[in-house]
PDB file of all heavy atoms in Angstrom:
ATOM      1  N   GLN A   5      12.562  15.347 -20.520  1.00 93.00           N
ATOM      2  CA  GLN A   5      11.856  16.576 -20.171  1.00 93.00           C
ATOM      3  C   GLN A   5      10.359  16.320 -20.158  1.00 93.00           C
ATOM      4  O   GLN A   5       9.805  15.727 -21.084  1.00 93.00           O
ATOM      5  CB  GLN A   5      12.179  17.693 -21.163  1.00 93.00           C
ATOM      6  CG  GLN A   5      11.590  19.038 -20.778  1.00 93.00           C
ATOM      7  CD  GLN A   5      12.047  20.162 -21.702  1.00 93.00           C
ATOM      8  OE1 GLN A   5      12.519  19.913 -22.800  1.00 93.00           O
ATOM      9  NE2 GLN A   5      11.907  21.399 -21.234  1.00 93.00           N
ATOM     10  N   GLY A   8       4.105  19.843 -21.055  1.00 80.00           N
ATOM     11  CA  GLY A   8       2.699  20.120 -20.787  1.00 80.00           C
ATOM     12  C   GLY A   8       2.439  20.416 -19.322  1.00 80.00           C
ATOM     13  O   GLY A   8       3.139  19.920 -18.428  1.00 80.00           O
ATOM     14  N   ALA A  37      13.856   1.770 -16.742  1.00 96.00           N
ATOM     15  CA  ALA A  37      14.586   2.569 -15.766  1.00 96.00           C
ATOM     16  C   ALA A  37      16.098   2.500 -15.984  1.00 96.00           C
ATOM     17  O   ALA A  37      16.811   3.475 -15.738  1.00 96.00           O
ATOM     18  CB  ALA A  37      14.239   2.109 -14.351  1.00 96.00           C
ATOM     19  N   PRO A  61       3.641  -4.796 -10.410  1.00 95.00           N
ATOM     20  CA  PRO A  61       3.505  -3.355 -10.632  1.00 95.00           C
ATOM     21  C   PRO A  61       2.569  -3.047 -11.798  1.00 95.00           C
ATOM     22  O   PRO A  61       2.544  -3.763 -12.803  1.00 95.00           O
ATOM     23  CB  PRO A  61       4.937  -2.904 -10.950  1.00 95.00           C
ATOM     24  CG  PRO A  61       5.820  -3.975 -10.387  1.00 95.00           C
ATOM     25  CD  PRO A  61       5.050  -5.249 -10.519  1.00 95.00           C
ATOM     26  N   GLU A  99     -15.909  -2.650 -16.775  1.00 92.00           N
ATOM     27  CA  GLU A  99     -16.895  -1.596 -16.593  1.00 92.00           C
ATOM     28  C   GLU A  99     -17.723  -1.927 -15.359  1.00 92.00           C
ATOM     29  O   GLU A  99     -18.310  -3.000 -15.250  1.00 92.00           O
ATOM     30  CB  GLU A  99     -17.791  -1.494 -17.826  1.00 92.00           C
ATOM     31  CG  GLU A  99     -18.802  -0.363 -17.751  1.00 92.00           C
ATOM     32  CD  GLU A  99     -19.549  -0.139 -19.057  1.00 92.00           C
ATOM     33  OE1 GLU A  99     -18.943  -0.335 -20.123  1.00 92.00           O
ATOM     34  OE2 GLU A  99     -20.739   0.220 -19.007  1.00 92.00           O
ATOM     35  N   ILE A 108     -10.614  -0.329  -5.693  1.00 93.00           N
ATOM     36  CA  ILE A 108      -9.799  -1.350  -6.345  1.00 93.00           C
ATOM     37  C   ILE A 108      -8.466  -1.421  -5.614  1.00 93.00           C
ATOM     38  O   ILE A 108      -7.753  -0.423  -5.501  1.00 93.00           O
ATOM     39  CB  ILE A 108      -9.553  -1.021  -7.832  1.00 93.00           C
ATOM     40  CG1 ILE A 108     -10.871  -0.751  -8.559  1.00 93.00           C
ATOM     41  CG2 ILE A 108      -8.769  -2.150  -8.498  1.00 93.00           C
ATOM     42  CD1 ILE A 108     -11.779  -1.937  -8.668  1.00 93.00           C
ATOM     43  N   ASN A 122     -32.703 -10.130   7.712  1.00 73.00           N
ATOM     44  CA  ASN A 122     -31.900 -10.262   8.925  1.00 73.00           C
ATOM     45  C   ASN A 122     -30.404 -10.365   8.653  1.00 73.00           C
ATOM     46  O   ASN A 122     -29.612 -10.536   9.581  1.00 73.00           O
ATOM     47  CB  ASN A 122     -32.354 -11.498   9.713  1.00 73.00           C
ATOM     48  CG  ASN A 122     -33.764 -11.344  10.247  1.00 73.00           C
ATOM     49  OD1 ASN A 122     -34.173 -10.237  10.616  1.00 73.00           O
ATOM     50  ND2 ASN A 122     -34.506 -12.447  10.296  1.00 73.00           N
ATOM     51  N   SER A 130     -13.998  -9.359  -5.651  1.00 93.00           N
ATOM     52  CA  SER A 130     -14.037  -9.903  -7.005  1.00 93.00           C
ATOM     53  C   SER A 130     -12.814  -9.443  -7.779  1.00 93.00           C
ATOM     54  O   SER A 130     -12.113  -8.510  -7.381  1.00 93.00           O
ATOM     55  CB  SER A 130     -15.317  -9.456  -7.731  1.00 93.00           C
ATOM     56  OG  SER A 130     -15.363  -8.043  -7.827  1.00 93.00           O
ATOM     57  N   ILE A 141     -17.123 -11.969   2.493  1.00 91.00           N
ATOM     58  CA  ILE A 141     -16.774 -12.033   3.909  1.00 91.00           C
ATOM     59  C   ILE A 141     -17.968 -11.456   4.671  1.00 91.00           C
ATOM     60  O   ILE A 141     -18.242 -10.257   4.568  1.00 91.00           O
ATOM     61  CB  ILE A 141     -15.510 -11.212   4.223  1.00 91.00           C
ATOM     62  CG1 ILE A 141     -14.322 -11.688   3.375  1.00 91.00           C
ATOM     63  CG2 ILE A 141     -15.179 -11.297   5.713  1.00 91.00           C
ATOM     64  CD1 ILE A 141     -13.087 -10.823   3.523  1.00 91.00           C
ATOM     65  N   LYS A 144     -20.398  -8.532  10.612  1.00 78.00           N
ATOM     66  CA  LYS A 144     -20.952  -8.951  11.900  1.00 78.00           C
ATOM     67  C   LYS A 144     -22.058  -8.039  12.387  1.00 78.00           C
ATOM     68  O   LYS A 144     -22.719  -8.331  13.369  1.00 78.00           O
ATOM     69  CB  LYS A 144     -19.862  -9.023  12.957  1.00 78.00           C
ATOM     70  CG  LYS A 144     -19.349  -7.689  13.435  1.00 78.00           C
ATOM     71  CD  LYS A 144     -18.302  -7.870  14.506  1.00 78.00           C
ATOM     72  CE  LYS A 144     -17.838  -6.496  14.983  1.00 78.00           C
ATOM     73  NZ  LYS A 144     -18.146  -6.262  16.367  1.00 78.00           N
ATOM     74  N   GLY A 152     -12.638  -4.102   7.659  1.00 78.00           N
ATOM     75  CA  GLY A 152     -11.687  -3.562   6.699  1.00 78.00           C
ATOM     76  C   GLY A 152     -10.913  -4.680   6.046  1.00 78.00           C
ATOM     77  O   GLY A 152     -10.764  -5.769   6.604  1.00 78.00           O
ATOM     78  N   ALA A 153     -10.399  -4.442   4.839  1.00 86.00           N
ATOM     79  CA  ALA A 153      -9.633  -5.455   4.131  1.00 86.00           C
ATOM     80  C   ALA A 153      -8.502  -4.802   3.352  1.00 86.00           C
ATOM     81  O   ALA A 153      -8.679  -3.749   2.746  1.00 86.00           O
ATOM     82  CB  ALA A 153     -10.535  -6.241   3.177  1.00 86.00           C
ATOM     83  N   HIS A 162      -8.267  -9.534   6.294  1.00 92.00           N
ATOM     84  CA  HIS A 162      -9.496  -8.895   6.758  1.00 92.00           C
ATOM     85  C   HIS A 162      -9.394  -8.603   8.251  1.00 92.00           C
ATOM     86  O   HIS A 162      -9.047  -9.486   9.043  1.00 92.00           O
ATOM     87  CB  HIS A 162     -10.688  -9.821   6.497  1.00 92.00           C
ATOM     88  CG  HIS A 162     -11.981  -9.310   7.048  1.00 92.00           C
ATOM     89  ND1 HIS A 162     -12.658  -9.942   8.068  1.00 92.00           N
ATOM     90  CD2 HIS A 162     -12.712  -8.214   6.743  1.00 92.00           C
ATOM     91  CE1 HIS A 162     -13.760  -9.277   8.348  1.00 92.00           C
ATOM     92  NE2 HIS A 162     -13.815  -8.218   7.569  1.00 92.00           N
ATOM     93  N   PHE A 178      -7.135 -14.597   3.565  1.00 96.00           N
ATOM     94  CA  PHE A 178      -7.855 -15.358   2.548  1.00 96.00           C
ATOM     95  C   PHE A 178      -7.057 -15.383   1.252  1.00 96.00           C
ATOM     96  O   PHE A 178      -6.334 -14.429   0.931  1.00 96.00           O
ATOM     97  CB  PHE A 178      -9.216 -14.707   2.233  1.00 96.00           C
ATOM     98  CG  PHE A 178     -10.156 -14.585   3.388  1.00 96.00           C
ATOM     99  CD1 PHE A 178     -10.064 -13.507   4.268  1.00 96.00           C
ATOM    100  CD2 PHE A 178     -11.150 -15.526   3.602  1.00 96.00           C
ATOM    101  CE1 PHE A 178     -10.943 -13.378   5.328  1.00 96.00           C
ATOM    102  CE2 PHE A 178     -12.041 -15.395   4.667  1.00 96.00           C
ATOM    103  CZ  PHE A 178     -11.938 -14.323   5.524  1.00 96.00           C
ATOM    104  N   GLY A 181      -8.134 -14.922  -4.778  1.00 92.00           N
ATOM    105  CA  GLY A 181      -8.893 -15.379  -5.929  1.00 92.00           C
ATOM    106  C   GLY A 181     -10.081 -16.246  -5.597  1.00 92.00           C
ATOM    107  O   GLY A 181     -11.111 -16.189  -6.280  1.00 92.00           O
ATOM    108  N   VAL A 185      -9.927 -19.675   3.262  1.00 96.00           N
ATOM    109  CA  VAL A 185      -9.275 -19.181   4.473  1.00 96.00           C
ATOM    110  C   VAL A 185      -7.892 -19.815   4.601  1.00 96.00           C
ATOM    111  O   VAL A 185      -7.756 -21.042   4.605  1.00 96.00           O
ATOM    112  CB  VAL A 185     -10.128 -19.490   5.723  1.00 96.00           C
ATOM    113  CG1 VAL A 185      -9.392 -19.051   6.990  1.00 96.00           C
ATOM    114  CG2 VAL A 185     -11.480 -18.791   5.645  1.00 96.00           C
ATOM    115  N   LEU A 192      -2.714 -17.035  13.760  1.00 94.00           N
ATOM    116  CA  LEU A 192      -1.818 -15.915  13.491  1.00 94.00           C
ATOM    117  C   LEU A 192      -0.951 -15.756  14.731  1.00 94.00           C
ATOM    118  O   LEU A 192      -1.411 -15.277  15.769  1.00 94.00           O
ATOM    119  CB  LEU A 192      -2.602 -14.632  13.211  1.00 94.00           C
ATOM    120  CG  LEU A 192      -1.745 -13.376  12.993  1.00 94.00           C
ATOM    121  CD1 LEU A 192      -0.897 -13.517  11.733  1.00 94.00           C
ATOM    122  CD2 LEU A 192      -2.608 -12.124  12.919  1.00 94.00           C
ATOM    123  N   GLY A 221      -2.232  -2.007  25.684  1.00 79.00           N
ATOM    124  CA  GLY A 221      -2.490  -0.885  26.560  1.00 79.00           C
ATOM    125  C   GLY A 221      -3.608  -0.002  26.056  1.00 79.00           C
ATOM    126  O   GLY A 221      -4.081  -0.121  24.924  1.00 79.00           O
ATOM    127  N   THR A 230       2.186   0.280  24.244  1.00 90.00           N
ATOM    128  CA  THR A 230       3.360  -0.166  23.499  1.00 90.00           C
ATOM    129  C   THR A 230       2.918  -0.866  22.222  1.00 90.00           C
ATOM    130  O   THR A 230       1.759  -1.256  22.070  1.00 90.00           O
ATOM    131  CB  THR A 230       4.214  -1.145  24.325  1.00 90.00           C
ATOM    132  OG1 THR A 230       3.425  -2.307  24.632  1.00 90.00           O
ATOM    133  CG2 THR A 230       4.712  -0.501  25.607  1.00 90.00           C
ATOM    134  N   THR A 234       5.934  -7.886  14.408  1.00 95.00           N
ATOM    135  CA  THR A 234       6.296  -9.238  13.990  1.00 95.00           C
ATOM    136  C   THR A 234       6.231  -9.346  12.476  1.00 95.00           C
ATOM    137  O   THR A 234       5.528  -8.584  11.812  1.00 95.00           O
ATOM    138  CB  THR A 234       5.351 -10.306  14.587  1.00 95.00           C
ATOM    139  OG1 THR A 234       4.012 -10.079  14.106  1.00 95.00           O
ATOM    140  CG2 THR A 234       5.371 -10.287  16.093  1.00 95.00           C
ATOM    141  N   LEU A 244       7.575 -15.595  11.819  1.00 95.00           N
ATOM    142  CA  LEU A 244       8.896 -15.709  11.212  1.00 95.00           C
ATOM    143  C   LEU A 244       9.941 -14.920  11.994  1.00 95.00           C
ATOM    144  O   LEU A 244      11.048 -15.405  12.213  1.00 95.00           O
ATOM    145  CB  LEU A 244       8.862 -15.210   9.764  1.00 95.00           C
ATOM    146  CG  LEU A 244       7.908 -15.933   8.811  1.00 95.00           C
ATOM    147  CD1 LEU A 244       7.949 -15.287   7.429  1.00 95.00           C
ATOM    148  CD2 LEU A 244       8.255 -17.411   8.719  1.00 95.00           C
ATOM    149  N   VAL A 268       9.728   2.368  10.923  1.00 93.00           N
ATOM    150  CA  VAL A 268       8.410   2.524  11.520  1.00 93.00           C
ATOM    151  C   VAL A 268       8.381   3.792  12.365  1.00 93.00           C
ATOM    152  O   VAL A 268       9.363   4.148  13.013  1.00 93.00           O
ATOM    153  CB  VAL A 268       8.025   1.303  12.392  1.00 93.00           C
ATOM    154  CG1 VAL A 268       7.794   0.088  11.526  1.00 93.00           C
ATOM    155  CG2 VAL A 268       9.079   1.014  13.450  1.00 93.00           C
ATOM    156  N   THR A 281      15.810 -10.573  10.765  1.00 96.00           N
ATOM    157  CA  THR A 281      16.359 -10.964  12.062  1.00 96.00           C
ATOM    158  C   THR A 281      15.612 -10.339  13.237  1.00 96.00           C
ATOM    159  O   THR A 281      15.734 -10.815  14.366  1.00 96.00           O
ATOM    160  CB  THR A 281      17.831 -10.532  12.161  1.00 96.00           C
ATOM    161  OG1 THR A 281      17.909  -9.092  12.141  1.00 96.00           O
ATOM    162  CG2 THR A 281      18.642 -11.092  11.005  1.00 96.00           C
ATOM    163  N   ASP A 315      21.358   7.842   6.573  1.00 95.00           N
ATOM    164  CA  ASP A 315      21.732   6.466   6.256  1.00 95.00           C
ATOM    165  C   ASP A 315      20.667   5.534   6.830  1.00 95.00           C
ATOM    166  O   ASP A 315      20.303   5.624   8.002  1.00 95.00           O
ATOM    167  CB  ASP A 315      23.103   6.146   6.848  1.00 95.00           C
ATOM    168  CG  ASP A 315      23.598   4.772   6.429  1.00 95.00           C
ATOM    169  OD1 ASP A 315      23.095   3.760   6.973  1.00 95.00           O
ATOM    170  OD2 ASP A 315      24.483   4.698   5.555  1.00 95.00           O
ATOM    171  N   ALA A 320      22.832   8.133  10.340  1.00 96.00           N
ATOM    172  CA  ALA A 320      23.772   9.235  10.145  1.00 96.00           C
ATOM    173  C   ALA A 320      23.214  10.198   9.097  1.00 96.00           C
ATOM    174  O   ALA A 320      22.752   9.772   8.028  1.00 96.00           O
ATOM    175  CB  ALA A 320      25.126   8.708   9.703  1.00 96.00           C
ATOM    176  N   GLY A 324      20.970  17.639   4.579  1.00 89.00           N
ATOM    177  CA  GLY A 324      19.852  18.365   5.156  1.00 89.00           C
ATOM    178  C   GLY A 324      19.155  19.197   4.102  1.00 89.00           C
ATOM    179  O   GLY A 324      19.710  19.466   3.037  1.00 89.00           O
ATOM    180  N   VAL A 341      12.674  14.695  -9.983  1.00 94.00           N
ATOM    181  CA  VAL A 341      12.219  15.703 -10.935  1.00 94.00           C
ATOM    182  C   VAL A 341      12.724  17.059 -10.461  1.00 94.00           C
ATOM    183  O   VAL A 341      12.469  17.479  -9.324  1.00 94.00           O
ATOM    184  CB  VAL A 341      10.681  15.713 -11.033  1.00 94.00           C
ATOM    185  CG1 VAL A 341      10.217  16.806 -11.986  1.00 94.00           C
ATOM    186  CG2 VAL A 341      10.160  14.353 -11.479  1.00 94.00           C
ATOM    187  N   LYS A 352      22.934   2.999  -4.829  1.00 79.00           N
ATOM    188  CA  LYS A 352      23.786   2.088  -4.070  1.00 79.00           C
ATOM    189  C   LYS A 352      22.923   1.079  -3.345  1.00 79.00           C
ATOM    190  O   LYS A 352      21.917   1.416  -2.723  1.00 79.00           O
ATOM    191  CB  LYS A 352      24.625   2.884  -3.064  1.00 79.00           C
ATOM    192  CG  LYS A 352      25.552   2.042  -2.227  1.00 79.00           C
ATOM    193  CD  LYS A 352      26.325   2.907  -1.226  1.00 79.00           C
ATOM    194  CE  LYS A 352      27.212   2.060  -0.330  1.00 79.00           C
ATOM    195  NZ  LYS A 352      27.926   2.899   0.669  1.00 79.00           N
TER     196      LYS A 352
END
Side-chain angles (χ1 to χ4, degrees):
Q5 186 174 18
E99 183 172 326
I108 307 294
N122 294 325
S130 61
I141 303 174
K144 73 178 181 117
H162 175 246
F178 300 84
V185 176
L192 177 65
T230 61
T234 62
L244 300 178
V268 291
T281 65
D315 186 284
V341 178
K352 180 181 177 182

